[in-house]
């Protein structure tokens, strides 16, 4: 476990050092609004007030803990790179806890809902908290889509065993009008970008796992898979 943790930490640190400036610049261009930054921080804490930025060393520790959970539960993604992306995303927007950015799937079936949430984002400065029923995500009482299976069927339900994982809509993309070759005016399909607040839950998961190891009974990969099988 120590070797794995050190390897993950080094991978996250190396990727972050290499990509931080470019990634932060891209994020600022995608989400340039100052109100977005402040409101997303507030949304992920469930309050409507200015919040304190989480120190970078603490964010990095949360990123490594999340990466350990994602890897242990068999997430089919580049865990170290995703952890680095989450670290850059969280630090760039002065969040109070580590947040993992992602996109919902299946949004093409809920374009009116995406448009409504996008309008709320524009009107309120940039955030909407969601509700979820398993992998299905709702906002403003409307179904938006689903969490991608690579998250919903691996690390996410395991972390939710520790404490709630907040999910916020951070942007609605697309929706721009265009003219088809036949002369019809249509709109580009809207997508929904979200962020999972995982910092505290990831640290709780790591602490529980360490305690189990000290008691001589660490969770095995088979046990984690059995837990996931029970949840889905």
């Amino acid at each position: 476990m120590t070797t794995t943790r050190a390897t993950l930490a080094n991978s996250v640190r190396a990727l972050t050092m290499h990509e931080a400036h470019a990634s932060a610049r891209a994020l600022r261009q995608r989400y340039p609004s100052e109100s977005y930054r402040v409101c997303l921080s507030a949304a992920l804490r469930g309050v409507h007030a200015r919040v304190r930025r989480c120190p970078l060393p603490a964010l990095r520790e949360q990123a490594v803990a999340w990466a350990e959970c994602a890897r242990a539960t068999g997430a089919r993604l580049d865990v170290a790179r995703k952890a680095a992306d989450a670290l850059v995303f969280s630090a760039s927007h002065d969040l109070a806890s580590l947040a993992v950015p992602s996109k919902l799937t299946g949004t093409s079936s809920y374009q009116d809902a995406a448009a409504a949430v996008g309008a709320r984002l524009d009107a309120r400065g940039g955030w909407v908290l969601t509700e979820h029923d398993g992998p299905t995500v709702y906002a403003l009482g409307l179904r938006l889509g689903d969490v991608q299976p690579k998250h919903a069927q691996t690390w996410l339900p395991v972390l939710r065993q520790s404490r709630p994982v907040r999910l916020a809509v951070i942007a609605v993309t697309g929706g721009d009008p265009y003219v088809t070759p036949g002369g019809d005016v249509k709109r580009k399909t809207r997508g929904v970008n979200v962020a999972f607040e995982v910092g505290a839950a990831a640290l709780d998961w790591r602490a529980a796992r360490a305690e189990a190891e000290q008691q001589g009974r660490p969770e095995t990969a088979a046990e984690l898979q059995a837990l996931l099988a029970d949840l889905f």
Side-chain angles (χ1 to χ4, degrees):
M1 174 62 70
T2 301
T3 301
T4 301
R5 182 173 300 168
T7 301
L8 279 171
N10 290 335
S11 297
V12 170
R13 186 176 296 108
L15 283 167
T16 304
M17 291 294 290
H18 179 69
E19 299 179 346
H21 294 295
S23 297
R25 187 161 52 248
L27 286 167
R28 292 291 189 187
Q29 291 173 350
R30 184 180 302 174
Y31 311 116
S33 168
E34 177 70 9
S35 62
Y36 161 81
R37 178 183 65 77
V38 174
C39 287
L40 177 60
S41 298
L44 291 178
R45 290 192 62 184
V47 297
H48 304 283
R50 191 172 184 84
V51 297
R52 293 182 180 179
R53 175 181 181 177
C54 184
L56 185 58
L59 281 177
R60 183 181 292 116
E61 193 65 19
Q62 293 171 12
V64 173
W66 173 83
E68 291 171 9
C69 181
R71 182 164 290 179
T73 54
R76 295 184 178 181
L77 49 87
D78 187 333
V79 171
R81 183 172 296 277
K82 189 65 175 179
D85 288 345
L87 181 55
V88 171
F89 175 86
S90 303
S92 297
H93 295 288
D94 296 342
L95 299 187
S97 177
L98 183 78
V100 176
S102 184
K103 297 179 180 179
L104 297 184
T105 187
T107 55
S108 60
S109 299
Y110 309 102
Q111 290 293 288
D112 290 344
V117 173
R120 177 64 66 89
L121 288 171
D122 293 339
R124 298 187 61 176
W127 63 270
V128 173
L129 285 175
T130 71
E131 299 176 352
H132 44 79
D133 180 12
T136 304
V137 177
Y138 299 84
L140 309 181
L142 304 171
R143 181 171 179 174
L144 290 177
D146 300 306
V147 176
Q148 295 182 51
K150 64 183 179 182
H151 304 310
Q153 297 178 9
T154 55
W155 61 267
L156 183 56
V158 171
L159 288 192
R160 283 178 174 163
Q161 296 291 306
S162 301
R163 66 169 68 197
V165 175
R166 301 178 194 269
L167 178 63
V169 176
I170 60 177
V172 174
T173 61
D176 302 321
Y178 68 96
V179 180
T180 68
D184 297 327
V185 178
K186 295 187 176 182
R187 290 186 177 274
K188 295 181 179 179
T189 302
R190 293 178 175 87
V192 179
N193 295 352
V194 296
F196 301 92
E197 183 193 30
V198 301
L203 293 177
D204 284 354
W205 176 85
R206 173 195 274 180
R209 190 171 176 85
E211 182 179 356
E213 289 179 345
Q214 290 179 355
Q215 295 175 354
R217 192 185 177 282
E219 284 181 316
T220 65
E223 287 173 327
L224 287 170
Q225 292 301 323
L227 170 61
L228 292 171
D230 288 340
L231 293 170
F232 290 94

